[in-house]
Amino acid sequence: MFKQMEREKQEAQMKMLMDKVEQLNSEREELLVKHEEEKEKLKMNLRDECDEKVKKEREEIKREKERIEREKEDLQDKHKVEIEKMKIMMDKEIQNCNKEILTKEIQHEKSLREQQCKMYEDKMESIEQKKQDELKRLKPPDNEEDKRKDIENMKICCSQTASSLKKDETGQSPNVGPKTNKQLKELYVRLDLTKRRQDKMKTADILQITKSSFQSQEPQEENELVNSFLQKLINMDYRARYTVIKHRKKEGKKNKANYNPDIHPMDVQMAVFHCADGFLKQLMVNKLSQCQYSLPLLVPDPFTQQIEFPLWTFSQISKSWKKKDFNNEIISQTQPVYKAETPMVAFFRFGSVSSSKSQLINGCINEKHNTFFHRNCSGSSRTRLLMDGVVEIAWYCPSGKKTDAFDDCVAFCNLHGDAAANEKQYEILTSMASVNVLFLPDFGQKNHYKGLVRLLFKSPQPLICLLTENHCDETELGNGKFIIGLLDKNLSDVSNQIREMIRVSLSNQNITFKVEDVAKHTGIRVDEEDPECRRGKKAAAQIMGLLRGKDPSTVKETNLPCQGKLWHDWCKINKELRHLQGENLEEDKSTKLKIMTDIREKQVAQGLSEFMNTFIETMKSQRNNEKKYVLRWMMNLLDDFTSEKLCGLHKEYDKKWHEVSVLKKMPDELDQLQTEQTNLENISEQINRTSFGLEHILREFGQIYESWSSVKKNKKDNLQFDFCSLPSLAAEMMMSGFPVELMDGDAAHIPLSWVTAILDKLVKKLGGQKVFVLSILGIQSSGKSTMLNAMFGLQFAVSAGRCTKGAFMQLVKISEEMKTELKFDYILVVDTEGLRAPELAGRSTTHRDNEIATFVVGLGNMTLINIFGENPSEMQDIIQIVVQAFMRMKNVRLSPSCIFVHQNVSDITAGEKNTEGRRRLQEKLDDMTKLAAKEEVSDAEGFSDVIAFDVQNDVKYFAQLWEGSPPMAPPNPNYCENIQELKQTILTHASKSDGIMLTHLRDRIQDLWEALLNEQFVFSFKNSLEIATYKKLETEYSKWAWSLRSAMLDIENKFYNKIENEAIHDIDEFYLERELNAKSEEVKKTMSEFFKKDRDAGVLNQWKGFFEIKIKQLQENIVRETKRKLNGVLQQRHLKKKMDAERTKHENTLFEKSKELALKFKEQANDENFMKTQFDSFWKQQTAEIIRDSPLVKDIDILKDVKKQFSETHASLPLDRMKVSSKHKAMTCLPSFSEYVQLKKSSGYTAPLKNMYKGAKEMIGLALSKEDEVQIRSLIRDISEHTDKMIQSYNIAKMGYNNSCIQQLVDYIKARVTQHEEEPKVKYVFKSEFFMDLVLFICHRTNKTFTDQYKMFREVNDPVLYFERKNREYIRIFQKYCKGAKSATIFGDFVCNKLKEPIQQNIYKQTARDLADEMANNCESLNGNRSKLEKHILRTLAEEEDFDAYITYINNPREHFKNFIRDEVSQYITVRFEDSVRPKMENSIKLLEQKIINAAQKSTKHVKETNGDADLWLHHFTLQLSDVLVFSVSDLTGVRHDDVDVSFLEDVIKKELPSIMSDIRSTFSTETFSVKLDHTDRPDELLIDHLCDCCWVQCPFCAAICTNTIEDHPGDHCVPFHRNIGLNGGSYRGTTNLSTSICTSAVASDRSFYPNSSDDKVLWKKYRKAGPNYASWSITPDLSELPYWKWFVCEFQKDLEKHYKKTYQGRGKIPAEWRRYSQEEAIDSLDKYI
């Protein structure tokens, strides 16, 4: 304690002395300034001084110089004597050194300092006096140069006194006052770092992709220095430390006051270090270490001078070296530098020295590389501000060779600046150093550090004292103390001498140094003590405490149980699912799925280990930054935990590997070789078990999540652990820059649920972001991870023994400025395990390599193909794998790009050699493409046929990574330039890519992996992104198509009215196209914008041409169909013209005669009873006459007519069958048609055998094959569809009915049946019963259509019904006549009554179209694509549980779809009548009412202007309404209106029209809505035409319907999920056991099937080879649950067995697992699959 107090007292006194010296310096500076001023004034006067005085002065000066020379010689002699004395004193003082001696020494030092200061002050006064005397005496002129030299000598004299205490090696005084602070602030401003002093720079800011990330040009402005330095450092370019502005403008030098000197490169590095947060500092020192640069060990704050020790910053750095052990064998060591125990050599100086200390250290460590920056380095200047007091450290790592400078790893520390001025740093270094190396100018009177030097010589550590102003030879003083002069000596020789002295000193020294021990010193700030870092360390230590004392090789098994054997077993079974065996595939599948479920339950039963639970809870409780610290600490502590064990295992593995290599060359030692290979694999397994890193914890996360989510889904109970938080934690880690495992390299499996959950959380946290996926492929240990880390500053594992296994992904953010050039937000970098891994030697690696290559290539928007070295066989291996992967992508319509990176090329500057290399590579690629084309069934001739590839721009040659031999070699700058060039090329490619949405990436990963598991990649790949995008396009297409259809319906209605009004007499497509043109252009514009602006425009583009053609074809078809329908109206108009004219004649006759009757009894008009009696009598008489003269309209009976038709024209048919069958058969739903057919007679030798076999089949009801049944059912459906169209073409509602309709139907059915029988592929003929039942079936199903349409016809054309309806109208007119109403009133009323029917017709038709439009856009079940409609149909079927409806859906899907649409429309009308239907009708009424009134106004106006009459008014009035109403002048033929005053007609119509509208309104109801419409005008029929114009092809196995919205769509047929083959009656060959197989499971099996009932087997996996019907279908393996149809089979098992007369027994036994699905689960599953 007393020693400390004494020392503090001395320090205070010393401080006072220093302050005094500072004051003297200031005064001296002021004197010099004044001297300069006086000198200028005296210049003019000096010329008058005499020459003699000048001569005398010269002589005095000469004498003074001689005296100084003599004193110098005396000092040198004294110095020699003093050295001898010191030698003698040292031995004595080392033994007798105690506190008293030390105190006296300090007092002596203090006294000496005081004397020196007194002497300095006296001498300063003397000098000043002499100056004054000189100024008075001096005279000019010819001796100006001599005077200047004298003044300079005086300056030197001054500087050698007071200022020498504080000078650094650059000769600059480190003033800590206001001037320095000002300079520091100015430096920060110039570097644009002012704000970063508080808001620290973060790693994420630096690693994001900016424009400067891709620019290789040198900085042009000072504010670009920081970014340029960091980008080069991230790329491992050691030239980062020489970052300066090389082309700086020099104008500022003209104005010295405003000129700023160049910024020192080390000031850039240290300014960034001071402004970086902890994680960026860590990244910086990691990169500096990789560049073989010294690292900042002790760093004083430039503003507060507080010393920081960055211990945590060093925690990620490891060094590797080789040395010889006690057995003289070379051993390898890898240790984190903060824990490594090594000797440490400390370098420091006292005062100012002429030699560069840092340069000399470099000579000792690595003469070829400037480990420490020194004054002779490029960019160095005298303006350094931030290095004084900084201690830097570097390590020499031997390589185990004879050329090593040192035998073991040695740390070198370098204290910058004067050690005397940086006492704390000096104290720490000297107390921990194994060897001290001191730089001094010289010994002697001018050495002011004798006391400190003496202390060093007294210390027990070896000391090497280097005298920069002395040329003495190496002198050993004993006890490890050396002195050597550096003056006029060769630096290389001196370095060798010093290196040898250090070697000798270290060999006799046992003191070792650990970086972490520096923290034990007081008075410094350790970065580990920062609150967040401390809390992170504490949390990590608490977690790791649970592993304390445990064997590293067993902790994974006990603490991470889910990822061990259980997970590997699950993966094995999951792969076996793609090779189902046995007779009952679904039973085998269920068994395997049960095993997988049991494994998941076992994983859950393991529970959370205490380790995992603590880790998870810790991570959840930490804040964002603290989480990162916890993770970093966990990485460090886990490495510490396993490093020793792993190091031993790796040594053992290397030894065993060499033994195996030797045995391989000895053919006689095969048994021994096999044994040793087994031992080698066992060691490899031990390494796997012992390896324990953050990736294993994340892997456990994944297995916990997958198992717990699986169990929760199955058991439906509440699990206490919140496993759903795990993906969120992993996503946060990924966002923070940590790599996340994509593929488990140990299990060779992707945990799909886990990866999907992570990406879902990323989407939730980041939004709908796009990524550009950059993946890499290459041979193991070819530098893939190193290249990615150098390119993007990533953290993929690259240390020794840490080869990547599996695949990892890491995000790199795109800056906002770059998003203007790129179309994505992140680059997702995927690093993969190497191909041809030596540890897998002896196993089959080809499959795994192909699997990884296919996955990586398919996942990446771009793949880097990394080729290492120039080994032709290795090149051929990887090229073959890569070409096959790219060919697979082409076959599944994925189009990634690639760049070949040829690393470690010996001479990358040889242009001719590179050209030759490119040519050879192109040849190899083309050759491999031809070979792969045979295997992948492709017609590609060259690699360019597979992907877009430019051999000139897409092949990069890289220099070797190291500039020299590791471990001391820095990275090769040429390699770094290659990295930057590659980065620019990637950007060029990326700018042309749209990237991929994170959600789509999730689906892509799943698609690729599922396809790879199924092995038949091309056939198994299901491109979810493409499917989802196509479905979206289908939905849009449906809208465009409806838009055109809707517009054409309006056009059709307008032309229909004009035809009925006889306004037009023919139809030309040109007019229809012209009318549709506006809507057509609108649709084209909408389409163009959709394909251009949609976020998936890149995927959509492949279908753009097809859909443009399809819309054009649709438009042409709509126009053509409309023309056909309107031509039909024209023809029917001629046919019913007589009928309409007759009806009009009767109406008008009644009108005239009732008018006459009214005039006759006009006088009795007031007697209403009398008038009514007269009118009723009149009406009865007149209508009786009309009915008598008109043909009767009888009721119809379709079935009766059919029977009559059969008896008249088909007498040979078994007509009794119609009497026996009281109920018709639903032909489309029959389980079999065997009873209706007989096999054709075969010809040839084999015919009898075939017929015998078929006869046997016939006996058991199996005469028809499954394909035959499908043929017949398809025939019935086609006939049904066509007969529906025929009936609609009859237009019975307008034209009526006659027997010829039935005749035509029967004839058509007969012709189609006959035509079918004559087809060559048909192996049977129909019995007559088939024809009869088919006709009856068609007539039964169309009976309602006939009846409903005929009912509408009767209402209009049956005189009895018609005139009953008209009675009320005529009696009202009669009454008005009786009351003396004017002719205009009567006529106007009559016109209004005539308008009633057309108005009503228009309102219902318009409302029907509006309603169809609304439902097509808003009705949930009808407003999307075909898949969506099917989902709602399946949901409704399940909810209603109607077996017959299911059978209709299965066997006649189109009919069921129509029925569903009709039901939906009917329900919509019923439920929404008041709030949707009625408002539409009301709106139509208002519009028509206004249009009619307007027409009346315009007609009246026109008549007045032209002096026309009632005929003109009527003509004009009907013409204006001709396009909206069926109403013409001919409707009023025979009605006299010559006495009508047209001026009143407008008012009459305005008055009478509302009552007509009121009558129409009164009929509005849900019951009358459909009745009032023609069949083709009903909203359900409009929607059926729209929605059923799609693909109806059925799966050849299970009869599921293709869900494509377009009939002749591009690509294969497909469905969201298939169903059990037994649902459509399919059974196992030769049995009556209904099949339980599902197509999507079967194609994943190794089983076969018999296509078309042939005897030739085809593997399910190669089903496309079975024929065109099979080849046109895409059936991708799907082993998911598919609950819907499984539930259906279990729910309706008995119904199905009864319907098909087969059973679910034997091979068709229903798996027990199927019975656990509920109706609710079945319905809910639809949302997942559709």
Side-chain angles (χ1 to χ4, degrees), residues 163-220:
S163 65
S164 62
L165 284 171
K166 300 285 282 186
K167 274 194 175 181
D168 67 0
E169 63 186 83
T170 65
Q172 186 179 18
S173 299
N175 193 346
V176 295
K179 183 178 178 184
T180 303
N181 277 339
K182 181 180 177 182
Q183 291 173 335
L184 287 172
K185 289 178 181 177
E186 186 180 343
L187 172 66
Y188 278 67
V189 170
R190 291 168 67 187
L191 293 174
D192 196 21
L193 290 175
T194 305
K195 294 180 181 177
R196 293 300 190 177
R197 286 180 58 194
Q198 299 299 325
D199 181 19
K200 299 294 187 183
M201 286 191 291
K202 295 177 175 57
T203 310
D205 301 330
I206 305 305
L207 296 184
Q208 69 176 344
I209 304 297
T210 61
K211 287 186 177 178
S212 57
S213 304
F214 296 89
Q215 293 173 354
S216 55
Q217 64 182 23
E218 295 298 325
Q220 305 298 312

Side-chain angles (χ1 to χ4, degrees), residues 325-468:
D325 61 6
F326 298 112
N327 299 323
N328 208 32
E329 292 181 358
I330 294 176
I331 58 172
S332 299
Q333 285 198 330
T334 300
Q335 293 187 32
V337 295
Y338 75 98
K339 292 179 70 71
E341 293 190 35
T342 65
M344 188 267 279
V345 183
F347 286 78
F348 45 86
R349 64 177 172 83
F350 290 145
S352 175
V353 294
S354 58
S355 296
S356 170
K357 170 164 50 71
S358 299
Q359 189 171 8
L360 198 61
I361 304 173
N362 292 341
C364 296
I365 298 176
N366 186 351
E367 292 181 344
K368 297 179 181 179
H369 184 61
N370 291 319
T371 305
F372 293 88
F373 193 93
H374 56 83
R375 66 181 65 166
N376 298 319
C377 285
S378 174
S380 180
S381 66
R382 298 174 62 85
T383 58
R384 194 181 70 193
L385 295 175
L386 298 178
M387 286 300 292
D388 283 336
V390 174
V391 175
E392 289 188 297
I393 187 170
W395 288 265
Y396 175 83
C397 298
S399 59
K401 298 178 181 177
K402 294 180 180 180
T403 54
D404 289 340
F406 300 97
D407 297 330
D408 203 347
C409 181
V410 181
F412 288 81
C413 287
N414 181 13
L415 171 57
H416 292 273
D418 191 345
N422 298 284
E423 293 184 33
K424 192 66 189 178
Q425 297 92 311
Y426 169 70
E427 176 192 334
I428 292 171
L429 286 184
T430 53
S431 66
M432 301 185 76
S434 306
V435 177
N436 290 317
V437 180
L438 169 65
F439 280 69
L440 274 177
D442 205 348
F443 292 126
Q445 290 180 352
K446 295 180 183 178
N447 176 21
H448 308 295
Y449 305 94
K450 289 181 180 179
L452 293 173
V453 173
R454 193 174 290 115
L455 286 175
L456 286 171
F457 275 94
K458 291 177 183 178
S459 70
Q461 291 107 319
L463 173 68
I464 301 172
C465 185
L466 306 177
L467 305 176
T468 60

Side-chain angles (χ1 to χ4, degrees), residues 1263-1289:
L1264 290 176
S1265 67
K1266 179 183 173 184
E1267 289 74 16
D1268 293 334
E1269 301 277 5
V1270 171
Q1271 275 182 350
I1272 297 171
R1273 189 166 281 112
S1274 178
L1275 171 67
I1276 295 170
R1277 285 201 298 263
D1278 289 346
I1279 291 174
S1280 297
E1281 290 292 325
H1282 190 78
T1283 52
D1284 284 347
K1285 292 178 182 177
M1286 289 175 68
I1287 292 167
Q1288 294 305 322
S1289 69

Side-chain angles (χ1 to χ4, degrees), residues 27-170:
E27 292 174 358
R28 181 177 64 82
E29 293 290 338
E30 291 174 3
L31 284 171
L32 287 173
V33 172
K34 288 180 181 179
H35 170 250
E36 290 294 331
E37 292 174 353
E38 291 177 1
K39 178 181 174 183
E40 292 297 326
K41 291 178 183 178
L42 289 172
K43 277 184 179 178
M44 299 302 296
N45 298 330
L46 287 174
R47 293 175 183 171
D48 300 332
E49 297 290 334
C50 88
D51 294 335
E52 292 179 3
K53 290 183 179 180
V54 173
K55 290 179 181 178
K56 289 179 182 180
E57 195 63 37
R58 282 183 176 178
E59 290 174 0
E60 288 177 9
I61 291 169
K62 185 177 180 182
R63 286 194 295 271
E64 184 68 19
K65 285 182 178 179
E66 289 173 354
R67 184 180 63 79
I68 290 170
E69 286 293 324
R70 286 195 299 273
E71 286 180 356
K72 183 176 179 181
E73 291 173 2
D74 293 337
L75 282 171
Q76 287 178 346
D77 293 336
K78 287 179 181 179
H79 171 246
K80 291 177 181 178
V81 172
E82 203 166 315
I83 288 174
E84 294 298 325
K85 287 180 180 180
M86 287 181 70
K87 284 183 180 180
I88 297 167
M89 288 173 61
M90 277 179 60
D91 293 333
K92 295 178 180 179
E93 288 180 346
I94 287 171
Q95 297 173 4
N96 303 319
C97 187
N98 53 36
K99 180 180 176 181
E100 186 178 351
I101 295 172
L102 184 61
T103 304
K104 287 180 181 180
E105 190 63 54
I106 291 170
Q107 288 176 347
H108 175 71
E109 184 70 16
K110 175 184 171 185
S111 173
L112 183 63
R113 292 285 179 96
E114 289 175 350
Q115 291 174 9
Q116 286 176 340
C117 287
K118 184 71 171 66
M119 182 183 70
Y120 294 157
E121 289 173 6
D122 295 339
K123 197 160 187 176
M124 286 287 288
E125 291 178 2
S126 173
I127 290 168
E128 185 61 26
Q129 186 61 45
K130 284 184 179 180
K131 285 181 185 176
Q132 297 297 329
D133 294 340
E134 286 179 81
L135 290 171
K136 292 178 182 177
R137 293 197 311 271
L138 282 174
K139 290 186 180 180
D142 299 330
N143 304 306
E144 186 67 19
E145 181 62 25
D146 290 331
K147 290 181 214 174
R148 189 187 67 75
K149 287 182 179 179
D150 293 340
I151 294 168
E152 288 299 318
N153 284 333
M154 284 185 269
K155 287 183 181 179
I156 291 170
C157 184
C158 293
S159 68
Q160 286 176 342
T161 54
S163 65
S164 62
L165 284 171
K166 300 285 282 186
K167 274 194 175 181
D168 67 0
E169 63 186 83
T170 65

Side-chain angles (χ1 to χ4, degrees), residues 937-1100:
V937 192
S938 172
D939 57 356
E941 294 289 330
F943 190 59
S944 297
D945 296 333
V946 179
I947 65 166
F949 178 73
D950 180 359
V951 76
Q952 294 300 322
N953 298 317
D954 295 338
V955 179
K956 303 295 178 186
Y957 288 93
F958 269 41
Q960 59 186 9
L961 173 60
W962 303 113
E963 192 176 59
S965 300
M968 290 303 293
N972 188 342
N974 290 329
Y975 177 89
C976 303
E977 286 180 2
N978 300 146
I979 286 283
Q980 195 66 10
E981 182 186 348
L982 176 60
K983 213 171 177 182
Q984 290 171 345
T985 305
I986 291 171
L987 175 66
T988 303
H989 280 277
S991 63
K992 301 171 185 175
S993 170
D994 294 328
I996 184 171
M997 298 290 292
L998 278 170
T999 50
H1000 296 159
L1001 175 67
R1002 173 199 64 201
D1003 297 336
R1004 175 70 58 81
I1005 291 170
Q1006 183 167 349
D1007 296 342
L1008 288 166
W1009 183 240
E1010 289 291 348
L1012 286 168
L1013 286 177
N1014 292 310
E1015 296 182 2
Q1016 298 285 325
F1017 180 83
V1018 174
F1019 296 123
S1020 302
F1021 181 74
K1022 180 176 71 175
N1023 191 332
S1024 292
L1025 170 58
E1026 204 170 84
I1027 292 170
T1029 306
Y1030 187 79
K1031 292 300 180 189
K1032 178 171 61 177
L1033 176 55
E1034 279 189 324
T1035 301
E1036 293 301 313
Y1037 172 81
S1038 183
K1039 293 176 183 177
W1040 302 328
W1042 176 253
S1043 182
L1044 289 172
R1045 285 182 187 277
S1046 182
M1048 184 51 83
L1049 285 172
D1050 290 335
I1051 296 167
E1052 180 186 337
N1053 187 55
K1054 185 168 74 173
F1055 276 82
Y1056 172 84
N1057 291 333
K1058 288 188 175 184
I1059 290 171
E1060 292 288 3
N1061 292 328
E1062 300 188 32
I1064 56 176
H1065 303 284
D1066 62 350
I1067 297 296
D1068 194 320
E1069 284 187 19
F1070 170 76
Y1071 296 111
L1072 295 173
E1073 289 170 353
R1074 186 178 63 184
E1075 292 285 335
L1076 191 59
N1077 185 60
K1079 179 58 69 175
S1080 174
E1081 292 300 319
E1082 181 186 323
V1083 168
K1084 285 179 183 177
K1085 183 179 179 183
T1086 306
M1087 279 183 69
S1088 178
E1089 289 179 355
F1090 174 75
F1091 280 107
K1092 190 182 297 183
K1093 297 180 180 179
D1094 189 83
R1095 67 184 184 183
D1096 298 314
V1099 179
L1100 286 167

Side-chain angles (χ1 to χ4, degrees), residues 1198-1208 1218 1336:
I1198 303 299
L1199 297 177
K1200 184 178 178 182
D1201 292 343
V1202 171
K1203 293 174 183 178
K1204 183 180 178 183
Q1205 183 73 31
F1206 277 158
S1207 62
E1208 291 177 355
M1218 289 191 289
L1336 290 172

Side-chain angles (χ1 to χ4, degrees), residues 739-784:
V740 171
E741 189 175 58
L742 177 59
M743 176 189 283
D744 182 342
D746 292 330
H749 214 86
I750 294 177
L752 270 183
S753 301
W754 169 241
V755 172
T756 298
I758 294 174
L759 292 174
D760 283 339
K761 289 296 180 183
L762 271 179
V763 171
K764 190 173 181 181
K765 292 174 185 292
L766 298 176
Q769 303 282 278
K770 276 191 171 184
V771 296
F772 178 85
V773 184
L774 178 69
S775 56
I776 190 166
L777 269 179
I779 302 295
Q780 192 182 85
S781 300
S782 59
K784 301 184 300 298

